[in-house]
Amino acid sequence: MARDVHRNGWDSGRQPAPAGRVVLPGSLVGILGGGQLGRMMALEGRRMGYRFAVLDPTEDSPCGQVADIQVVAPYTDVDAARRLAEMADVITYEFENVDAGVASVLERTAYVPQGSRLLATTQHRLREKRALVAAGAPVAPFAPVGSLNDLRDALAVTGLPAVLKTCTGGYDGKGQWKITTPDDLEAVWAEASRAVGLPAAGAAAGAGAEAMDAPLMVEGFVPFVHELSAIVARSPRGQVRTFPVAENIHRDHILHLSVVPARIPQDIQRQAQAFAERIAVSLGGVGLLAVEMFLTADGRLFVNELAPRPHNSGHYTYDACATSQFEQHLRAVCNLPLGSVRLLTPVVMVNILGEHVAPVLRVLPQLPDNVKVHLYGKHEAKSKRKMGHLNVLADSVEEALDTIRALDIWLL
Ligand code: AMP
C-alpha cells in the first residue's frame, strides 16, 4: 500500500499515539446550526457511523432532516445549548457567529475540540486581520475606524480606493462600502455609521486608531485578477492537510462558481496552500479553516478573510476529492487520521440560488451524467438564497464550464 507522507513531515504510515481525545464512530456529534453545511457534515458522518444532534431555530432544517435528534431553539438559547452538550460526545459548529455565552457554556460542559479562541478571532474582522499579520500572512493595509475622523486618518494608511467594513456580522458583501474618491467619504460614512449605530457626526466613545472595539475597519482595495480559497484541516494531534486551491467567481458578492484546479500557476497554488497551513498552525485551529485570498496581476496573494468551518468553495470536494471537506472536518474534530485531499477529476461547482431552482428541476430529467446534484431540502426558494449546487466533473474545467453553459440556466 502506498505510504501517505504529508509535506509537513507527518507520516500516516507510522501512526504515532495521537495527542488529544479520539471520538470513535458510534459517538454522537452535536452541531450548532442546521443549514446545508451541517447537513452535508451529517450525511458524510452517518456513512462513517457517527450519530448527530443539531441545534437550529427551525424545525425540519436542512441538517435536522438528516440528523438523529433536533433541538429546535434559537442559537442564543443557553439552556438548549446545554441540552445539546449533555447528549453529545463532541460539539462542532457550522457557522462562525456562535453566541459568546453559548460558546462558553458548551466549552465548560462539553468536549469542543475547536475551542472558542479561533471562533472569537474570526468573529471580528479587526482581530482576524491582526491574527493574520501575526501569522505572517500578507494582507491589504487596514486600520480601525470609530469615527469620521478615524476614517480620514485611516485612508492616509490604506490609500484609495478602499473598502469600509463592519467588524462583525457582515457576509456576502453586506456591511461593506467601497470608497473610490474623497467625495464618497461623507455619504459612505452616513450609511456605515447608521448601520453600526454610531452618531453620523460625532466621534464614537472610546474609539480611536488603536481601539480593538472599533465597530468598523477600512482596508485598501486589492485590484485582484482572481479570488481563491484554500481549505485546510488541522487535528488535535497536529496533522495538517490542505485541499486543492479553488478559483472562486462571485456574482453580486455571492459565490457563483468554484473552478478546480484553479487556472493559476502551480507555484501560486502551492504558496496559497502554504499560507493556509501557516495560518492554521499559527492560530492553533482544529477542524477546517477556509482561507479566502486575492491574487493580483503581478502574482501577489493577499488573505482576505477566514472561516473556521466547511465553506461553500469547498463543496467541490464532495464529488471530486478522495475525501470531502465534511468528512475531513469530522476526522479532524474526532482526531482520526486526516484523509487524502487528492483531486480525482477537474470540477466546477455552480451554486443553485432560489431563482435557479425551477430551471434546474426543469433540466433534471435530461441532466448529463457528469453532473452531481446537491439540493439542501430548504422549503422556500427565495431569490439569492443558497438552495443547492451542482458539481460538474469533466476531463477539463473548460469542458465542465461548457456543460454548465449548455444548461442555459446561468449566464457565465
Ligand atoms: P468579504 O465579505 O470580505 O469576503 O468581501 C466580499 C467581497 O467583496 C469579496 O469577495 C471581494 O469581491 C470584495 N472585497 C472585499 N474586500 C476587498 C478588498 N480589500 N479589495 C477588493 N475587493 C474586496
Side-chain angles (χ1 to χ4, degrees), residues 62-411:
C63 184
Q65 292 166 18
V66 301
D68 300 84
I69 300 167
Q70 297 181 54
V71 177
V72 180
Y75 297 129
T76 48
D77 186 332
V78 171
D79 288 333
R82 199 172 282 126
R83 284 207 307 283
L84 185 77
E86 275 163 12
M87 62 179 117
D89 298 293
V90 60
I91 296 271
T92 185
Y93 45 82
E94 61 131 39
F95 62 96
E96 54 265 57
N97 289 320
V98 179
D99 180 82
V102 164
S104 84
V105 162
L106 291 177
E107 268 206 299
R108 269 187 281 117
T109 55
Y111 177 51
V112 191
Q114 290 165 276
S116 57
R117 220 184 89 222
L118 179 58
L119 201 58
T121 303
T122 56
Q123 278 174 350
H124 194 277
R125 280 189 196 273
L126 203 53
R127 245 182 261 145
E128 180 175 279
K129 279 270 149 55
R130 288 186 171 146
L132 286 168
V133 171
V139 295
F142 65 94
V145 171
S147 67
L148 182 55
N149 278 342
D150 282 353
L151 180 57
R152 286 203 184 93
D153 292 346
L155 290 177
V157 176
T158 63
L160 283 173
V163 188
L164 182 64
K165 299 182 176 183
T166 55
C167 284
T168 57
Y171 66 96
D172 286 348
K174 293 186 178 71
Q176 44 178 283
W177 300 266
K178 189 171 175 188
I179 306 170
T180 308
T181 73
D183 294 342
D184 299 340
L185 214 64
E186 310 261 330
V188 163
W189 179 252
E191 213 181 301
S193 56
R194 199 175 326 118
V196 295
L198 279 178
E210 289 308 315
M212 256 327 277
D213 54 358
L216 296 158
M217 59 159 283
V218 68
E219 64 185 43
F221 183 85
V222 179
F224 60 83
V225 287
H226 285 299
E227 292 193 72
L228 307 172
S229 59
I231 298 175
V232 55
R234 184 172 173 275
S235 65
R237 56 173 102 184
Q239 199 183 2
V240 177
R241 285 211 176 154
T242 309
F243 284 102
V245 171
E247 170 192 339
N248 299 319
I249 296 165
H250 295 83
R251 268 221 193 126
D252 299 328
H253 292 288
I254 300 171
L255 184 64
H256 172 42
L257 300 171
S258 290
V259 179
V260 188
R263 294 165 293 180
I264 58 169
Q266 289 261 333
D267 61 320
I268 291 178
Q269 297 190 36
R270 279 195 294 273
Q271 207 182 354
Q273 289 177 308
F275 282 138
E277 288 173 20
R278 190 192 291 182
I279 293 163
V281 170
S282 167
L283 271 59
V286 164
L288 291 185
L289 182 68
V291 182
E292 292 188 62
M293 298 177 222
F294 300 127
L295 175 65
T296 57
D298 58 359
R300 285 188 303 154
L301 288 167
F302 293 87
V303 176
N304 176 33
E305 65 172 358
L306 306 175
R309 54 168 172 77
H311 195 256
N312 194 168
S313 69
H315 289 359
Y316 79 87
T317 59
Y318 205 110
D319 299 304
C321 286
T323 307
S324 74
Q325 63 166 344
F326 306 101
E327 177 178 344
Q328 195 77 308
H329 180 72
L330 288 168
R331 283 173 176 251
V333 296
C334 294
N335 210 10
L336 302 180
L338 297 182
S340 162
V341 289
R342 194 155 60 89
L343 185 69
L344 305 174
T345 168
V347 56
V348 176
M349 190 278 324
V350 58
N351 263 337
I352 300 170
L353 304 182
E355 59 270 37
H356 306 131
V357 172
V360 165
L361 293 178
R362 251 196 314 275
V363 300
L364 217 67
Q366 296 90 39
L367 215 54
D369 63 3
N370 59 330
V371 181
K372 305 288 277 186
V373 181
H374 297 253
L375 290 168
Y376 307 144
K378 294 184 185 177
H379 297 294
E380 233 188 309
K382 283 190 224 149
S383 174
K384 306 291 172 219
R385 187 178 193 202
K386 289 176 183 168
M387 301 296 290
H389 64 272
L390 303 180
N391 281 336
V392 182
L393 316 174
D395 290 338
S396 67
V397 295
E398 285 71 27
E399 215 178 286
L401 288 166
D402 284 344
T403 302
I404 296 171
R405 219 169 268 125
L407 294 177
D408 210 16
I409 293 169
W410 299 268
L411 294 168

